[in-house]
Amino acid sequence: MCKPISDKHLSTALWWRNLKETNNETFLPLFFDENRYLVLKGGGGSGKSIVAGRKILERATTEPGHRALVTRKVGKTIRESCFEQLKSQAYEFYSDCVDFIPRGKGSDMYIRFKNGSEILFAGLDDVEKLKSIYNVTMIWIEEASELEEGDFNQLDIRLRTDFPYYLQMILTFNPISITHWLKKRFFDRKDKRATVHESTYKDNRFLTKEAIETLEAFKETDEYYYMVYCLGQWGVTGKTVFNAKAVALRLAVVQEQRWLRRGFFEYTEDYDGIHISNIRWMDDPDGPVKIFEEPGEGRPYVIGGDTADEGSDRFVGQVLDNITGKQVAVLRHQYDEDTYAKQMYCLGKFYNDALEGPEVNYSTYPVKLLGKMGYPKLYVREVEDDFDGKIKHAFGFRTDRLTRPVILSELIRLMRDNLHLINDEDTLMEMLTFVRGKDLRPEAEAGAHDDCIMALAIAYYIRPQQSMQIKTQDGSGRKWSKDQIEDWLKASEKDRRIMEQMWGRPVW
C-alpha cells in the first residue's frame, strides 16, 4: 500500500494478492472502473458498502490530493455507519498512510492522509457544512435510494474538473420501489458514463453462517421481503393489488425466457392514405411488438387496446390466445394515433383476424380508422341513446366508473392462479406497481403507469365475443391442441362431453 517496495512488479503482485484475499470476487473489477457513476445495487449483506469504502481509501492513499465526500440523506446516521466503517478499514489496511483521524463521539468526522488526501463526511441535511465542502474529487452516497434526484444532481455538479485523476461518484443502495428515479436513470436507460453492478448476500464469502441463516430464514417468514431485501429485487412501497411475491417469481422466469421475436409491421399505404396492403414483419431488437407465441392455424385471438391519454404517452395492445387465455404478443410504444391503428390492424391480421377492442375514452380516432380500413372484427359495446333511451351499438371499449371496477376485478381474479399465462416483462412490472390508493381504488403507484394492465383487462373482458374453438378448413370438426387432448384423455365421460361442447368435436 503506502510502504514502498524496491521491486515494482513484486509490489504490484502483493497489492493484487492482498486485494483478492480481502475482497469478494464479484467486486474486484470495480477497483479498475473509471466511469463517472459506479452504481452498486444489492441486497442486505452483499458487501457493497464495504467495497465502496475500500475503493475510496484505495484511491485516497495512492492518488495524492483527493478530497473525497461521503454522504447520506441524514447527517446523524453517518457516524455509526460510514465513518466507523472507513475508520476501521483505514486502520486495518492503510495504517501507514493515515495522518489523523479524530476520536470521540462529539468530534468532527474526517480522515486525513500523509499524501495530502482527505475524506470528509456530511449529511445532505447539514447545509452549512456542505457549503464549505468544495473541489470534491470523489463522492460516495450511502443509501442513495433515500435521496431525491435533485439532491443527486446537486452533488454531481460538485465534482471538480481540474483533478489529474478520474472523477467518480459511488452510489450504494438496497432497491426499494420499482418506480424510483435510480431505476429509471441507471437501469431502464443505458448511460455510457455509468457502471451498474448488482449483488446479493450469496456473493459475500465473508458472511458468517449465522448471518446467512438469518437472511435465509425470511424465505419462510416473509418471502417477498426475502426477494427484495435479501436478493436485491426491485420492490414496491404501496399495498399491491396483485400478489407481489407471485408476480416477482413470474418476472424472474420471463426475464430469462424473453421473447420469441421482436420487431414491427411494415406495409404499403394505398393512394387514399387509409387502406394498407403488402403487410410484412420486420425484426428489430428494440421494436414495439414482442411475440411470445406464433399464431396457430385456425386459432382464435383477442386484442385489448389502451390508448395514450394525459397520464400516459404510450399506446398498448395485448394479444391473448382465446382458448387458453395465454398472452402471446404485446404492442407497446409511443405513437401517433394513425400509426397505432395501423400497427393494430397488422397485428390483428397476423393473429387470424383477432377480435380487437381498442379503448375509446380519450379518442375514438383509432377505432374509427380501423373501421375505415375495413378491419373485419371489432368489439361491439352496447350504448344507451341519449335521445330516446334505446340501446344502440358502437365499436370499441369504454372504460368508465362502471366498467373499470368490473374489468379490473375480473383480471385480479384470473391472475390469482394464472400468472403463468403472462409472458411480458413490462406487464408484470406494472403489476408490481399497481396498488390500492387511499380510497382503496386500484391504480398505478405515483410515477408508474397502468397501460399494459388496462389493455390486458380489456382483452380478457372481451373474450366472450370471440370464438373459443379452433376452426378447421372443412368445418367437419375442431382441431385440438396437445394440452386439450391430454386433458380430454384424463377426464371422465361427463367432463369429456362438457369439453366437446366448449371446444367442438375433436379432430387430431
Side-chain angles (χ1 to χ4, degrees):
M1 323 278 179
C2 290
K3 281 187 175 181
I5 299 178
S6 56
D7 189 324
K8 181 180 179 181
H9 296 290
L10 178 60
S11 174
T12 302
L14 287 173
W15 170 81
W16 178 240
R17 186 176 71 182
N18 176 269
L19 211 61
K20 290 178 67 176
E21 289 176 351
T22 57
N23 287 278
N24 289 301
E25 184 176 355
T26 185
F27 294 116
L28 290 175
L30 304 184
F31 284 96
F32 306 97
D33 185 90
E34 297 186 5
N35 275 330
R36 184 176 181 88
Y37 310 113
L38 182 55
V39 185
L40 308 184
K41 164 183 168 283
S46 68
K48 58 189 179 298
S49 297
I50 298 299
V51 77
R54 187 71 184 273
K55 184 171 186 182
I56 290 280
L57 288 164
E58 185 67 33
R59 293 195 64 197
T61 54
T62 58
E63 299 169 354
H66 266 293
R67 187 173 172 84
L69 171 64
V70 178
T71 186
R72 287 186 64 168
K73 181 69 173 179
V74 180
K76 66 180 182 181
T77 61
I78 294 179
R79 184 177 297 277
E80 298 301 324
S81 56
C82 304
F83 182 59
E84 288 299 323
Q85 175 195 314
L86 266 77
K87 186 167 67 172
S88 175
Q89 288 178 306
Y91 283 133
E92 182 176 0
F93 301 110
Y94 307 94
S95 57
D96 293 330
C97 306
V98 173
D99 182 31
F100 185 73
I101 304 177
R103 298 178 181 273
K105 291 290 185 182
S107 63
D108 287 338
M109 292 181 289
Y110 64 90
I111 301 175
R112 194 166 62 221
F113 300 95
K114 294 175 181 178
N115 65 358
S117 292
E118 61 181 343
I119 303 175
L120 308 172
F121 300 79
L124 292 177
D125 56 341
D126 193 346
V127 179
E128 293 305 315
K129 185 166 185 178
L130 277 175
K131 285 181 180 178
S132 66
I133 299 175
Y134 53 90
N135 287 337
V136 177
T137 59
M138 268 190 299
I139 297 176
W140 171 24
I141 308 172
E142 172 69 323
E143 300 296 349
S145 56
E146 297 174 348
L147 272 63
E148 300 294 333
E149 190 167 11
D151 296 330
F152 172 80
N153 292 336
Q154 286 300 312
L155 289 171
D156 197 4
I157 62 177
R158 286 180 177 271
L159 287 176
R160 59 189 275 193
T161 57
D162 59 346
F163 192 61
Y165 308 101
Y166 67 93
L167 306 172
Q168 188 171 69
M169 298 179 71
I170 303 176
L171 294 80
T172 54
F173 66 97
N174 293 95
I176 300 178
S177 173
I178 204 168
T179 62
H180 200 280
W181 66 267
L182 281 169
K183 181 177 184 299
K184 295 177 181 178
R185 183 159 181 163
F186 294 112
F187 294 82
D188 292 346
R189 60 185 286 264
K190 304 297 181 183
D191 188 333
K192 294 181 180 179
R193 300 178 301 163
T195 296
V196 174
H197 185 276
E198 302 185 54
S199 58
T200 73
Y201 72 94
K202 296 180 181 181
D203 297 308
N204 190 352
R205 62 190 173 95
F206 299 108
L207 275 184
T208 64
K209 181 180 178 182
E210 182 180 8
I212 294 172
E213 289 175 348
T214 299
L215 290 168
E216 294 190 337
F218 287 114
K219 287 182 184 178
E220 305 297 329
T221 59
D222 190 339
E223 191 165 353
Y224 179 68
Y225 183 83
Y226 173 77
M227 294 172 69
V228 175
Y229 179 74
C230 303
L231 298 185
Q233 297 183 13
W234 293 101
V236 291
T237 56
K239 176 62 177 175
T240 56
V241 170
F242 300 95
N243 185 322
K245 169 191 164 185
V247 173
L249 287 171
R250 181 60 185 164
L251 188 58
V253 173
V254 303
Q255 285 173 333
E256 291 292 327
Q257 294 176 343
R258 309 297 283 173
W259 50 80
L260 188 64
R261 290 201 289 171
R262 185 167 186 173
F264 59 95
F265 293 99
E266 277 196 342
Y267 45 80
T268 302
E269 294 197 44
D270 290 348
Y271 67 92
D272 61 5
I274 295 176
H275 296 90
I276 61 177
S277 58
N278 191 26
I279 299 170
R280 54 207 179 272
W281 173 262
M282 302 296 293
D283 287 317
D284 182 345
D286 298 315
V289 180
K290 289 179 281 187
I291 292 176
F292 307 105
E293 189 173 288
E294 299 279 3
E297 182 182 352
R299 293 189 76 87
Y301 297 92
V302 298
I303 305 178
D306 186 75
T307 53
D309 57 57
E310 71 271 9
S312 172
D313 57 358
R314 294 188 185 275
F315 289 87
V316 176
Q318 294 274 17
V319 188
L320 303 178
D321 181 321
N322 208 41
I323 294 175
T324 64
K326 183 188 294 185
Q327 181 190 45
V328 295
V330 173
L331 163 67
R332 180 175 181 268
H333 208 262
Q334 292 174 306
Y335 279 127
D336 292 326
E337 289 184 300
D338 62 323
T339 308
Y340 170 66
K342 290 173 182 177
Q343 286 292 313
M344 285 283 278
Y345 180 94
C346 297
L347 189 62
K349 297 297 288 183
F350 182 73
Y351 278 97
N352 302 339
D353 288 337
L355 173 70
E356 293 202 2
E359 187 184 47
V360 293
N361 281 44
Y362 296 94
S363 175
T364 59
Y365 182 77
V367 75
K368 285 181 177 178
L369 183 55
L370 283 166
K372 288 181 180 179
M373 293 169 70
Y375 189 78
K377 198 174 291 185
L378 291 170
Y379 172 75
V380 178
R381 72 185 190 280
E382 290 186 345
V383 181
E384 184 175 325
D385 192 284
D386 293 335
F387 180 71
D388 56 14
K390 291 182 179 180
I391 298 298
K392 61 179 184 177
H393 296 88
F395 290 128
F397 185 88
R398 182 172 293 279
T399 307
D400 55 32
R401 63 182 182 83
L402 296 177
T403 61
R404 187 180 189 275
V406 172
I407 64 173
L408 286 176
S409 294
E410 180 62 9
L411 180 64
I412 292 165
R413 183 190 69 79
L414 284 168
M415 292 299 102
R416 197 169 291 132
D417 300 309
N418 296 286
L419 272 169
H420 63 280
L421 298 175
I422 307 304
N423 294 306
D424 177 50
E425 181 178 348
D426 292 320
T427 302
L428 290 165
M429 294 282 257
E430 282 193 8
M431 286 183 176
L432 278 179
T433 57
F434 203 63
V435 300
R436 298 282 182 188
K438 291 181 180 179
D439 56 356
L440 298 183
R441 181 180 186 268
E443 58 191 12
E445 189 176 49
H449 296 287
D450 62 4
D451 316 297
C452 292
I453 286 176
M454 296 308 298
L456 189 66
I458 292 170
Y460 277 111
Y461 183 80
I462 68 175
R463 289 180 69 192
Q465 278 194 22
Q466 174 67 306
S467 169
M468 292 192 178
Q469 297 179 341
I470 298 175
K471 297 178 181 178
T472 56
Q473 289 184 350
D474 60 6
S476 60
R478 304 299 179 189
K479 185 178 179 182
W480 285 16
S481 68
K482 181 180 177 181
D483 289 341
Q484 287 175 305
I485 294 169
E486 289 178 355
D487 290 343
W488 187 85
L489 291 172
K490 295 175 184 177
S492 65
E493 286 298 325
K494 180 181 178 181
D495 288 339
R496 286 181 180 181
R497 287 195 298 272
I498 295 173
M499 289 177 183
E500 289 176 14
Q501 289 174 359
M502 290 176 57
W503 299 335
R505 185 165 55 83
V507 174
W508 63 77

